[in-house]
Amino acid sequence: MKIVKKYLIFIIALIVLVLMFILNKSMALNALGTIKISIREMLLILPPVFVLLGLLDVWVPRDTMVKFMGEGSGLLGAFIAFIIGSSAAGPLYVVFPIAAAFMNKGTSFINILILIGAWSTTKIPMLLFEYGSLGPKFMLTRLSLNIPIILVIAFTINKAMKKNEIDTIYETAKNAN
Amino acid sequence: MHNKIFYSLAIILLTVSFYKDKTKTKKSLVKAWKSFENILPQMLGMITSIGIIIALFSPDTISKIIGSSSGWLGVFIAAIIGSITLIPAFVAFPMAAILLQNGAGYMQISAFASTLTMVGILTLPLEIKFFGKKFTIMRNCLAFILSFFVAFVIGKVVS
């Protein structure tokens, strides 16, 4: 029963997919094609990411991370968070477990927010695709707007969250990894 | 190409780690597997749902709805589509280029690209699992609203 509950969304989606096959075969094959691409992407990106996270957890002492990315790490901490987020690969959902691992190591909340922001908008491989497909003007305009937007979102959420709410998030992160 | 960097880095560091301390290395691999297994069910559910939703829309229909004359309503619809879908960049941006050639507008495409990367409706359960409801709703709403600002500027600069 526990497994069924865990995979509930997946099971429902599979049932919908089967119904689609009966009603409109070409549309279902289309969906299957996209699913195949996404699963391949997931299986390609995730293994090294999680291996690196495991190593980070075991080898990097908490004190070191607190020093570079914790409370009071200032601009340097924000810069490191921005660089890690931008050099990443993979869709947004991959960043959530990564953020949890960084929280466990004592990264400050504002730096977590910057990491997520950079991951979602200024990823270098993504920018390359945007440049190639939509041209330099489009890509550069969006990039120059997105960098301040990352900061606006980070500071707004950081201000709006109460201390006990942030503590709960850090507690959850402990159980996630 | 980008994956190769990740794989090389993981393999090199894993080898170094193994030479230095076998038990620590084993511990790190167990951790890696556990956190992977933790998010696997949600990921599979999400990916399958996305595939189904994308199949429901053809590029032809999309460019009709979000054409350059569709104005702010088109921007809004594009932002919604971007929020729901979640496709890798190497598919999304070439697709955006095709939509542009088929008559979609720059403002609409910009809104689509912004919410595609920043807002995730189908990933909400996963984000809530890690960050709670308040954080998740705030982050997604802010990103959604700000994507209109980006669309506005793109509309002025690129045309």
Side-chain angles (χ1 to χ4, degrees):
Chain A
M1 233 19 237
K2 217 176 152 194
I3 289 181
V4 174
K5 209 181 154 195
K6 243 179 133 182
Y7 285 88
L8 190 63
I9 303 175
F10 184 49
I11 294 168
I12 293 171
L14 281 181
I15 294 169
V16 174
L17 194 64
V18 171
L19 287 177
M20 214 179 193
F21 248 107
I22 299 164
L23 295 170
N24 187 337
K25 203 176 167 197
S26 72
M27 199 181 254
L29 286 175
N30 219 329
L32 213 58
T34 316
I35 293 166
K36 239 165 63 189
I37 293 174
S38 305
I39 288 187
R40 203 168 51 203
E41 196 204 15
M42 180 185 99
L43 292 180
L44 213 62
I45 291 171
L46 289 183
V49 169
F50 279 102
V51 166
L52 288 171
L53 283 181
L55 289 171
L56 169 86
D57 195 75
V58 175
W59 283 106
V60 181
R62 210 186 128 85
D63 294 349
T64 318
M65 286 288 281
V66 169
K67 197 173 128 205
F68 285 109
M69 295 179 80
E71 297 295 340
S73 59
L75 276 179
L76 178 70
F79 182 72
I80 297 173
F82 185 81
I83 293 297
I84 295 175
S86 297
S87 50
L92 184 64
Y93 56 80
V94 180
V95 81
F96 303 139
I98 292 176
F102 274 83
M103 282 191 273
N104 285 334
K105 288 286 170 187
T107 302
S108 71
F109 194 57
I110 188 83
N111 287 340
I112 292 292
L113 281 160
I114 292 172
L115 173 74
I116 296 173
W119 188 293
S120 64
T121 52
T122 58
K123 264 184 313 208
I124 293 160
M126 196 172 82
L127 293 177
L128 293 177
F129 277 110
E130 188 172 348
Y131 181 95
S133 311
L134 301 170
K137 219 169 166 188
F138 189 91
M139 181 276 238
L140 289 172
T141 311
R142 247 169 51 83
L143 177 65
S144 55
L145 293 171
N146 276 333
I147 292 172
I149 283 177
I150 292 171
L151 296 175
V152 167
I153 293 179
F155 281 104
T156 313
I157 295 180
N158 193 39
K159 261 226 135 91
M161 298 292 282
K162 293 191 194 79
K163 188 170 179 306
N164 65 317
E165 288 167 337
I166 295 176
D167 289 345
T168 313
I169 293 174
Y170 275 79
E171 250 343 280
T172 317
K174 257 186 219 158
N175 302 324
N177 285 49
Chain B
M1 174 214 82
H2 206 72
N3 287 323
K4 277 185 193 151
I5 303 172
F6 268 127
Y7 273 95
S8 326
L9 200 64
I11 290 168
I12 292 167
L13 291 179
L14 206 58
T15 317
V16 174
S17 170
F18 188 75
Y19 264 104
K20 285 205 153 179
D21 192 328
K22 275 180 195 162
T23 38
K24 262 192 171 179
T25 309
K26 209 179 149 195
K27 214 175 125 193
S28 79
L29 286 175
V30 170
K31 277 234 146 127
W33 172 249
K34 265 194 187 158
S35 21
F36 177 67
E37 214 196 356
N38 189 30
I39 57 165
L40 188 65
Q42 265 119 334
M43 287 212 175
L44 284 175
M46 211 171 61
I47 285 172
T48 317
S49 317
I50 292 161
I52 293 168
I53 289 169
I54 291 177
L56 290 172
F57 297 97
S58 71
D60 201 41
T61 335
I62 293 175
S63 52
K64 246 182 229 153
I65 305 170
I66 58 171
S68 44
S69 55
S70 63
W72 285 104
L73 180 68
V75 173
F76 184 75
I77 294 170
I80 296 281
I81 297 173
S83 305
I84 297 170
T85 46
L86 199 145
I87 23 180
F90 64 86
V91 179
F93 286 113
M95 193 178 101
I98 294 169
L99 290 177
L100 272 176
Q101 283 157 15
N102 283 307
Y106 273 103
M107 270 171 87
Q108 289 78 7
I109 287 299
S110 159
F112 169 73
S114 294
T115 55
L116 177 73
T117 54
M118 290 165 93
V119 183
I121 290 181
L122 289 167
T123 54
L124 285 182
L126 192 69
E127 191 170 350
I128 289 173
K129 188 177 169 191
F130 280 100
F131 289 99
K133 277 198 184 113
K134 185 177 172 185
F135 175 100
T136 305
I137 291 168
M138 267 194 89
R139 197 192 66 74
N140 284 283
C141 286
L142 281 170
F144 188 82
I145 293 163
L146 288 168
S147 69
F148 285 84
F149 169 68
V150 178
F152 174 75
V153 179
I154 287 276
K156 293 274 170 223
V157 177
V158 191
S159 53

